[in-house]
Amino acid sequence: MRAGSVGGTPTYRLVRPPVEPAVAPVLDASQRVVVDHDTGPLLVLAGPGTGKTTTLVEAVVQRVRQGAAPDEVLVLTFSRKAAEELRSRIASRLGRTVVEPSASTFHSFCFSLVRSYGVEPGATLPRLLSGAERELRVRELLAGQAEGEGRTRWPEELRPALKLRGFAREVCDVLDRAGERSLDPAAVRALGVAHHRPAWVAAAEFMSEYLEVLSLRNEVDYAGLVDRAVRLLRGPAAEVCGKYRAVYVDEYQDTDPSQEELLRLLAGGGRLLVAVGDPDQSIYGFRGADVRGIIEFPQRFPTASGAPAPVTALRVCRRSGPDLVALSRAVATRLPLGALTPRRDEHRELEAAGPADVPTEIRLYPTAAAEVTGIADLLRRAHLIDGLAWSRMAVLVRSGVRSIPAVRRALVAAGIPVSVAADELPLSRDPAVAPLLRALEVVAARQRAQRLGRETPAVSPEIARLLLTSPLAGASPSQLRALGRRLREIDRELGNGLARPSSVLIAEAVSDPSAVATLDDW
């Protein structure tokens, strides 16, 4: 902003800051091999910190400078954040914007196909369900079947579980795995009959009913979205299969069978397809990712002559120093590589070009509680003794849904400020939202019981603790312990024998607040 004056009145003018031109990075020899590759399929093994994003960006820039239009080069990845970064860096290196995104997620690309080829003129575009919405649809159907509605005949031993959230999630997993493998209800039923699995047969019946509901609502879930895109590429959208002169895929170790089939239609038959990934970093098997996709890539995507696709590896790690690289590679060498075993040395024996490391420590704890307590102690010591700012610390966990809540509670109890990345937690698990949802569930259950003339359901100890320590109640852990001790004393005075656990007594107090009405400060 620049200031001036006209007739004594101050004026201001917004001035665009100068934009520094993007500077071409210096590539090492292994990166240059990937960038220069311009014919047929190629598998690139890229360990941590080896610059795979930079390599992908430079490869796209190279293809465009060699005559390909930006919309003829497709880059697919697995997260919106990664796709946004790739698009920004590609546009910056090209020095211009492009008509279509140069990079997108698999599901974004599939939705664009459905929008362009899968909707009749004048018809409404189907709505893509979020994970939480899809689970809600499944729970609604299961709840109706628990009351005798619907045509699905679940085995008798499973019927008590139909209203449980955990069972609904298991059913969602079955739907996902079937969709990823392009299995329709008839195929799932055939598998159930062949392997004598009545639960699979029932799941097939449920899948048929579920798909009918989605069709009536004009909705589609993520697994069904990829399957629909594959069917479109085999039919109305067949012209798209010849559109792209080059296809690049990031994080290939996370692909599932349906995404692999999508790539086979887009870039199979010996066309230019570069898959970048690291089988050692395959952690999404529970979501349907199949590590065999990257291990068997050379055989599954042969060259035009029928020979296995070539394999290369990025060799220089710029992120870490020698100690950390040596430690991580020692762990990685214990993981199986199957058909890629001959490339073990190139893939795992990285050259460390990062800054020197602080000596690496490995600490083992007997329990999960001891582990989070130890982490909190390390962080507090680093802040109070070494003067390290909280913002310079990070805690990495394997599972956001399972691990982050426990770690967060332990750190907050130790007086450590915590900030969780917004994309690491589903909205229903956000600390600002979860207590309110649980409270509404408690109220809804009570109202339902009153309407049906049933006994008021009790609040579980876990829900009671969550509600009391949330902003809704504002109790601290020390206050809960004090309340538990007081309730145990009262329980003993009432002649109930051995005092029951504090958690049970606190849950009863939440269910019936009159129990604590006579206690001081409660």
Side-chain angles (χ1 to χ4, degrees), residues 75-420:
V75 183
L76 294 173
T77 187
F78 283 84
S79 70
R80 288 189 295 269
K81 185 176 181 181
E84 290 169 0
E85 180 184 359
L86 282 166
R87 283 197 298 269
S88 175
R89 292 178 61 173
I90 290 171
S92 176
R93 284 287 290 118
L94 291 174
R96 57 183 168 129
T97 57
V98 293
V99 176
E100 295 184 11
S102 300
S104 64
T105 64
F106 271 92
H107 294 107
S108 175
F109 175 78
C110 291
F111 196 71
S112 69
L113 285 178
V114 172
R115 182 175 58 243
S116 301
Y117 297 93
V119 181
E120 296 294 334
T124 305
L125 186 69
R127 191 169 74 86
L128 181 60
L129 292 178
S130 66
E133 289 174 322
R134 194 275 299 271
E135 183 179 322
L136 178 61
R137 295 284 181 272
V138 171
R139 291 180 65 189
E140 289 174 344
L141 284 173
L142 289 174
Q145 292 172 357
E147 300 295 335
E149 303 171 2
R151 60 177 181 269
T152 303
R153 299 179 180 84
W154 293 100
E156 196 61 35
E157 64 270 18
L158 293 180
R159 295 196 63 81
L162 294 184
K163 291 186 176 181
L164 300 181
R165 177 174 296 177
F167 185 76
R169 289 174 179 165
E170 293 288 341
V171 172
C172 289
D173 286 342
V174 172
L175 296 175
D176 283 340
R177 303 297 84 79
E180 290 158 2
R181 287 153 178 81
S182 300
L183 298 176
D184 60 13
V188 175
R189 177 182 177 83
L191 286 173
V193 172
H195 295 276
H196 308 289
R197 297 291 186 93
W200 292 7
V201 175
E205 295 176 356
F206 179 87
M207 183 179 178
S208 177
E209 194 169 348
Y210 167 77
L211 293 177
E212 288 178 11
V213 170
L214 291 195
S215 178
L216 290 173
R217 291 175 175 268
N218 195 27
E219 296 171 337
V220 61
D221 58 19
Y222 280 98
L225 179 64
V226 180
D227 182 60
R228 184 178 295 192
V230 168
R231 286 188 277 111
L232 287 173
L233 288 176
R234 290 173 175 155
E239 61 181 353
V240 177
C241 297
K243 173 183 177 180
Y244 298 105
R245 295 173 59 177
V247 176
Y248 295 88
V249 186
D250 194 12
E251 306 293 357
Y252 193 79
Q253 73 277 357
D254 295 331
T255 54
D256 60 45
S258 64
Q259 291 162 345
E260 182 179 313
E261 183 60 25
L262 182 81
L263 292 173
R264 187 172 287 107
L265 294 170
L266 290 173
R271 287 173 286 177
L272 179 52
L273 169 64
V274 177
V276 183
D278 180 3
D280 297 338
Q281 298 182 50
S282 178
I283 59 174
Y284 292 116
F286 67 96
R287 293 182 182 175
D290 189 350
V291 71
R292 291 178 300 175
I294 188 171
I295 291 176
E296 299 175 5
F297 178 91
Q299 291 73 35
R300 297 185 182 188
F301 287 89
T303 63
S305 66
V311 181
T312 188
L314 302 184
R315 303 295 304 278
V316 181
C317 176
R318 298 171 178 80
R319 181 185 303 160
S320 309
D323 290 343
L324 187 54
V325 168
L327 177 62
S328 66
R329 299 303 88 193
V331 174
T333 54
R334 304 180 64 181
L335 302 175
L337 282 179
L340 292 176
T341 300
R343 314 293 303 197
R344 179 188 300 271
D345 294 340
E346 292 186 17
H347 175 39
R348 290 172 170 167
E349 293 187 3
L350 299 177
E351 175 187 342
D357 299 319
V358 174
T360 305
E361 295 183 9
I362 298 177
R363 300 194 177 202
L364 302 178
Y365 296 93
T367 64
E371 181 182 17
V372 294
T373 301
I375 292 172
D377 179 67
L378 287 172
L379 298 180
R380 284 183 60 84
R381 288 177 182 274
H383 180 69
L384 299 176
I385 298 176
D386 301 332
L388 189 64
W390 295 121
S391 60
R392 299 285 296 170
M393 305 180 192
V395 179
L396 305 181
V397 300
R398 179 173 182 178
S399 168
V401 173
R402 297 179 180 178
S403 303
I404 286 180
V407 174
R408 184 189 184 101
R409 285 195 299 270
L411 298 186
V412 170
I416 299 172
V418 180
S419 175
V420 179

